[in-house]
Amino acid sequence: MKLISYFAFLSFSIYYSFAGTIKGRVMDHHNEPLPGVTIKIKGTNKGGISDADGRYSIEVNEGAYVLEASFIGFETRRESVSVPGTGVVTVDFRMNEAVSELEEVIVKGKSVTQLKREEPIKVEAIDVSKTMAQSTSIPELINQVTGVKVRQASGVGSNVDININGLQGNAIRFFKDGIPTDYLGGAFRLGLVPTSIIDNVEIYKGVLPIELGADALGGAVNITTKEKDQNYLDASYEIGSFNTHTVNLNANHILPNSNVHVGVSSYFIHSDNDYEFDLDINEGGITETYRVRRFHDATTARYGAFNLGLHDAPWADVLDVTFTYFDQDDEVQNGIQINPSQALGEVVRASTSTVFDVRYRKEVLPGWDVDVFAAISQRDTKEQDLAEFFYDWRFGRTDNRTSNGETELRDQRLDIDTKVARFITQYTLNDHFKLKFSSTYNGYDQVGSDPFQQANLSTDVQPITIPSTYTKVVSGFGIRTSFLDDKLKGESFVKHYYLDAEAPSTFGTSLTQKISRENFGWGQSIKYEIDGDSYARVSFEDATRIPEADEYFGDFLFVLPNGELEPEQSKNLNFGFKTNLDELDDISVEINAFYRKTTDFIRLFPIDLLRSVNRNSDAQLTNGIETNFKWNVLRATTIRAAITYQDMRRTETSGTDVILENSRTPNIPYFFTNLSVRSRFDDPLSFPISLSVYGNYLFTEKYLLLPTPEALEPTLFSELLPAVSNNFIPTQQQVNVGLTCAFKALPVSANVEVINLTNAVLFDNFRIQKPGRNYRFKLTYRL
């Protein structure tokens, strides 16, 4: 707390003047909003970009200014304005199309996603609205980002694991509009949510801003949705291989002559996921390779969110109330690995979530913003294994009977009540300093039942029937700085992490065990703009991750509880440099290096053949470098290339793990590249359409599957030693291609996409084979 007090005293002791605000809207001569217009204060580097509704906002000090609005194909407009010290001045622009034709026009306006990428804190921003008409899934879009590797267990709807600069799993947090997605159940899992209901995806690497209010170690993924102050209608239907169907409706309507908006966001997804793959099966001591099919891996998910609210009202910039419903039914074909001698044929999982949330945003005074969010949700889950027979991969159900299910006889039900609250406030002192404070509360209560669960021998009570509670609060205070006419920007922050939990006790005479943890963290990010085409950036965070509830409590089946777990700690350092290589910004190169030292690393340790437990173990050191190259060719074709190398090593090992000192962390790719090409053709052969053709090539170097001593590791691109020839995931090369046709006379587009064009053999976590060549077709309607 002394550090927070120091920051506050330092900031308030600096002389400052109150900021004013210039707001407005940019329209064309048809009175339609113009997005992407650059509004600049003449003679300075300050300015803004109009959004999808043509709106912009610029914070300035008291004084007289000349505003300049410019946009390719339109005449530049200028307006003079005088701003009082604490006032808000509205300046609207009406742009006229340029009459004369110019040989060359250079406009260096920046999109919202580009501005995000240039923040002091390292973030990759994907403008999903540009690819909404494609069949490409969110995991596939993220997989094209440098330094990021997406792992998906099998087909549609399966679990998605993201590796960001060497860290993955629970070290990465997921958000929707800046709110941790835990309260939504599985509704916004990356393997499910379609692109049509998303505006942008933000990927934070190593350092998280305090606004996100979470305890991630290695980064975060924030999904942002569209603002409610505009009318829109997006509808799509997609059909794909393996009986895959996706239906989406996303709409918002502003009631006439009012500030009231009403909207719906929804999707329906089903897939059989019944693709074929090769499997080595041992029968009678002889191993042969068979072509088998997944026959019990279907998923069905339904999601609907209905909202009603106000925007741009005198007492609220945004007030939005939303009711959300989500349910999903999953068939379970296998566990964490493929068992060649047994396929699961009856195990099922299901979940249902209902959520009520409210969000309020308001600029209380010029330069002072408040953002409040609160949600309550109820989630019911089911997991059943009531099978009476075993199954195998070749013939399905066998004659072998079982009285204990396929894995463990169970009919487990959990009732989880979740509460989330977040408060953010920002205050602009002057052109140089902005103060930020955020606090996010997450809490849930859980109780369950399972008639087949063994009771505690001492208490004769089933642990699953004892209520569990888990409360976590993450707070942060930060200062954003800007000097040298916005060339030098920085962000300093401190964070506080608090946990209070009570879990059922599996052993002993006590029914419950209490858990309490408290930690601090801090970080600093600095970005320097060398010139209009180049900048350098450095950031550091001493981060903390509080263990999740399932790590403390176990799963009441195979994972035992461990209330002694300590939070993971990670020191994250990032260096970056980006430059444009030509005047038109058509060629750019970005290079980033990163360092991570993670201590008290939580790993899952086996107890016996069935049970395991989470424990703090050794440390992990990660060093890496990533490069991103972009080239716009003739303004119609874009080529992007990304290369990532990350060296993850286990250190400070003990006991029997000493033999693994300085060995590479297994089951995580360490060298991978991505090459994507996109070309656009307007009015081909004089038809009133636009065509977009794209392709994506992904290369992943082979990597070890299980822990292996350093001496046995193969070097990059080298051959494997005989001792580890069966302990690796092979080199993989994947090619995806697609074509989108947009009709200019109709708000309709059609897309066809081929995934894994070459039908390559691809693997993911623990060598589970992924689908071969498959196809998708999508129709999209947008207003």
Side-chain angles (χ1 to χ4, degrees):
M1 296 303 293
K2 289 182 179 180
L3 191 54
I4 296 179
S5 300
Y6 169 76
F7 274 124
F9 174 78
L10 176 64
S11 301
F12 281 108
S13 62
I14 297 174
Y15 173 80
Y16 63 88
S17 59
F18 291 100
T21 303
I22 303 173
K23 292 184 176 181
R25 201 174 186 193
V26 186
M27 314 291 286
D28 65 14
H29 66 287
H30 296 298
N31 208 34
E32 294 292 330
L34 272 179
V37 177
T38 300
I39 300 95
K40 185 177 179 181
I41 297 177
K42 196 172 180 182
T44 75
N45 285 331
K46 293 184 70 67
I49 305 293
S50 60
D51 62 16
D53 202 31
R55 301 183 188 276
Y56 74 93
S57 177
I58 307 171
E59 293 180 352
V60 296
N61 287 335
E62 179 180 1
Y65 302 96
V66 175
L67 293 183
E68 185 176 86
S70 60
F71 191 56
I72 188 169
F74 289 81
E75 296 177 351
T76 299
R77 296 296 303 273
R78 295 181 180 87
E79 295 286 349
S80 298
V81 60
S82 180
V83 181
T86 59
V88 178
V89 178
T90 300
V91 179
D92 294 330
F93 290 92
R94 188 176 300 278
M95 307 284 286
N96 295 319
E97 293 184 6
V99 176
S100 59
E101 294 186 0
L102 302 178
E103 292 183 0
E104 183 179 46
V105 178
I106 300 174
V107 178
K108 291 193 176 182
K110 297 179 180 180
S111 65
V112 174
T113 52
Q114 187 174 355
L115 291 172
K116 274 282 186 183
R117 295 186 193 107
E118 295 180 3
E119 290 289 311
I121 291 178
K122 173 64 175 172
V123 57
E124 299 282 355
I126 304 173
D127 188 351
V128 179
S129 63
K130 293 182 178 179
T131 59
M132 194 187 79
Q134 296 178 195
S135 305
T136 311
S137 67
I138 293 298
E140 289 163 350
L141 285 176
I142 294 176
N143 219 16
Q144 298 176 28
V145 174
T146 178
V148 180
K149 191 66 176 176
V150 178
R151 329 276 296 288
Q152 191 160 5
S154 53
V156 174
S158 60
N159 289 331
V160 173
D161 199 7
I162 294 184
N163 181 285
I164 300 179
N165 289 165
L167 294 176
Q168 63 181 24
N170 287 332
I172 311 298
R173 290 285 189 255
F174 297 91
F175 301 82
K176 174 182 176 284
D177 293 324
I179 311 297
T181 57
D182 301 356
Y183 75 100
L184 288 168
F188 263 71
R189 279 170 43 197
L190 295 184
L192 280 179
V193 59
T195 58
S196 302
I197 65 174
I198 295 175
D199 194 30
N200 295 309
V201 176
E202 300 167 354
I203 303 170
Y204 292 85
K205 298 180 178 180
V207 177
L208 265 64
I210 64 170
E211 292 92 326
L212 292 183
D215 55 335
L217 267 193
V221 177
N222 181 34
I223 294 174
T224 64
T225 57
K226 293 182 178 180
E227 294 290 342
K228 308 301 183 182
D229 60 351
Q230 55 185 305
N231 290 311
Y232 55 81
L233 171 63
D234 301 324
S236 65
Y237 172 68
E238 178 184 328
I239 186 171
S241 301
F242 320 120
N243 194 30
T244 300
H245 302 267
T246 302
V247 183
N248 167 74
L249 174 63
N250 191 34
N252 190 69
H253 178 65
I254 301 174
L255 300 185
N257 303 315
S258 75
N259 298 91
V260 179
H261 60 260
V262 59
V264 60
S265 179
S266 62
Y267 64 77
F268 168 83
I269 296 174
H270 173 83
S271 180
D272 289 344
N273 287 321
D274 55 345
Y275 61 89
E276 294 182 343
F277 66 100
D278 295 325
L279 185 64
D280 294 335
I281 299 176
N282 186 302
E283 292 181 338
I286 300 175
T287 299
E288 294 188 36
T289 300
Y290 293 91
R291 191 71 173 173
V292 299
R293 180 182 296 274
R294 301 180 73 89
F295 59 89
H296 184 69
D297 200 32
T299 186
T300 302
R302 291 159 286 258
Y303 166 82
F306 308 91
N307 69 280
L308 175 67
L310 295 170
H311 60 274
D312 297 331
W315 50 276
D317 294 339
V318 174
L319 175 62
D320 203 53
V321 178
T322 305
F323 173 78
T324 302
Y325 173 84
F326 170 78
D327 70 50
Q328 182 176 6
D329 297 292
D330 284 328
E331 296 176 344
V332 181
Q333 181 76 90
N334 54 266
I336 194 171
Q337 299 184 62
I338 294 288
N339 182 352
S341 61
Q342 181 189 0
L344 303 182
E346 295 187 34
V347 178
V348 294
R349 295 191 184 109
S351 67
T352 301
S353 299
T354 54
V355 185
F356 177 83
D357 67 70
V358 59
R359 185 163 195 171
Y360 175 81
R361 294 204 309 260
K362 174 62 179 172
E363 186 179 30
V364 181
L365 292 172
W368 180 20
D369 300 311
V370 172
D371 188 341
V372 181
F373 175 89
I376 56 174
S377 72
Q378 182 177 20
R379 178 157 52 106
D380 299 313
T381 69
K382 175 182 74 174
E383 183 165 338
Q384 289 182 322
D385 183 358
L386 306 176
E388 297 181 1
F389 294 88
F390 287 112
Y391 292 74
D392 70 25
W393 289 102
R394 295 179 61 197
F395 305 110
R397 199 179 89 169
T398 70
D399 294 330
N400 296 327
R401 300 184 66 91
T402 173
S403 59
N404 295 313
E406 297 178 83
T407 57
E408 181 85 7
L409 191 65
R410 64 190 180 280
D411 187 5
Q412 178 178 292
R413 313 295 173 99
L414 291 176
D415 181 5
I416 304 171
D417 294 324
T418 305
K419 298 172 286 293
V420 178
R422 188 193 68 170
F423 173 79
I424 296 177
T425 184
Q426 302 184 66
Y427 184 65
T428 302
L429 293 172
N430 52 34
D431 281 348
H432 303 300
F433 295 94
K434 176 185 282 189
L435 301 181
K436 300 180 179 182
F437 174 79
S438 75
S439 186
T440 302
Y441 165 88
N442 285 272
Y444 76 78
D445 303 316
Q446 172 183 292
V447 66
S449 65
D450 186 345
F452 304 106
Q453 186 187 72
Q454 183 178 353
N456 185 317
L457 297 178
S458 300
T459 63
D460 198 33
V461 175
Q462 291 177 310
I464 197 173
T465 63
I466 302 172
S468 303
T469 62
Y470 183 89
T471 300
K472 179 168 61 177
V473 180
V474 180
S475 302
F477 175 80
I479 300 177
R480 188 180 180 91
T481 58
S482 179
F483 297 102
L484 303 179
D485 201 16
D486 287 343
K487 289 183 176 294
L488 180 63
K489 295 181 180 180
E491 190 153 333
S492 310
F493 60 84
V494 291
K495 295 180 180 179
H496 177 255
Y497 311 92
Y498 171 79
L499 171 72
D500 183 72
E502 187 170 5
S505 178
T506 305
F507 304 103
T509 58
S510 176
L511 288 177
T512 62
Q513 57 177 333
K514 293 184 179 295
I515 305 166
S516 181
R517 300 288 186 270
E518 187 174 15
N519 289 78
F520 283 91
W522 66 278
Q524 174 70 58
S525 297
I526 299 173
K527 178 206 165 190
Y528 180 70
E529 186 175 323
I530 301 169
D531 53 40
D533 296 316
S534 305
Y535 63 81
R537 175 170 47 200
V538 60
S539 59
F540 174 83
E541 181 175 9
D542 188 352
T544 294
R545 185 184 78 83
I546 303 291
E548 293 295 288
D550 57 357
E551 292 173 311
Y552 276 127
F553 304 162
D555 65 356
F556 303 107
L557 186 62
F558 299 125
V559 181
L560 300 180
N562 182 4
E564 304 302 318
L565 283 176
E566 293 294 333
E568 291 179 324
Q569 307 283 331
S570 186
K571 292 178 171 53
N572 303 328
L573 182 63
N574 290 67
F575 295 95
F577 173 78
K578 180 180 182 296
T579 186
N580 297 315
L581 301 180
D582 71 321
E583 185 180 4
L584 299 178
D585 296 352
D586 282 335
I587 306 176
S588 65
V589 176
E590 183 174 5
I591 301 174
N592 292 284
F594 52 90
Y595 167 85
R596 311 274 185 267
K597 181 175 182 181
T598 308
T599 55
D600 286 326
F601 207 84
I602 296 176
R603 301 185 192 275
L604 194 63
F605 285 83
I607 299 296
D608 51 36
L609 290 177
L610 288 177
R611 298 178 301 169
S612 57
V613 65
N614 285 291
R615 291 176 181 164
N616 295 105
S617 61
D618 45 53
Q620 177 175 289
L621 282 179
T622 302
N623 297 281
I625 188 168
E626 57 188 36
T627 302
N628 188 42
F629 173 83
K630 185 188 77 170
W631 182 20
N632 293 326
V633 185
L634 301 177
R635 301 296 174 114
T637 299
T638 300
I639 300 173
R640 295 178 182 271
I643 302 175
T644 302
Y645 177 81
Q646 51 191 26
D647 190 35
M648 299 153 289
R649 299 285 171 178
R650 296 178 64 174
T651 65
E652 302 176 16
T653 54
S654 60
T656 57
D657 283 345
V658 169
I659 193 175
L660 299 174
E661 180 68 20
N662 204 42
S663 65
R664 195 184 299 279
T665 301
N667 199 39
I668 299 178
Y670 67 95
F671 181 81
F672 46 93
T673 66
N674 174 75
L675 174 66
S676 62
V677 180
R678 176 183 300 275
S679 293
R680 179 183 175 90
F681 305 93
D682 286 316
D683 304 314
L685 302 177
S686 299
F687 286 106
I689 61 174
S690 65
L691 291 178
S692 179
V693 182
Y694 57 93
N696 187 41
Y697 167 76
L698 299 101
F699 172 88
T700 305
E701 169 65 334
K702 60 182 174 297
Y703 56 98
L704 292 166
L705 178 63
L706 300 173
T708 303
E710 182 184 14
L712 298 178
E713 292 175 3
T715 57
L716 191 62
F717 306 129
S718 69
E719 296 296 325
L720 291 166
L721 295 174
V724 294
S725 58
N726 295 319
N727 176 27
F728 75 104
I729 295 179
T731 299
Q732 301 173 72
Q733 301 183 65
Q734 180 177 347
V735 178
N736 305 328
V737 296
L739 170 68
T740 302
C741 175
F743 300 91
K744 294 190 174 182
L746 298 171
V748 176
S749 63
N751 171 264
V752 62
E753 194 168 285
V754 184
I755 308 300
N756 192 6
L757 177 67
T758 62
N759 201 31
V761 178
L762 306 173
F763 298 94
D764 224 316
N765 286 348
F766 294 101
R767 204 165 176 163
I768 294 178
Q769 191 168 331
K770 300 172 68 174
R773 184 189 302 113
N774 59 96
Y775 307 88
R776 302 171 186 162
F777 177 76
K778 181 178 182 179
L779 282 175
T780 303
Y781 178 88
R782 300 187 70 182
L783 276 181

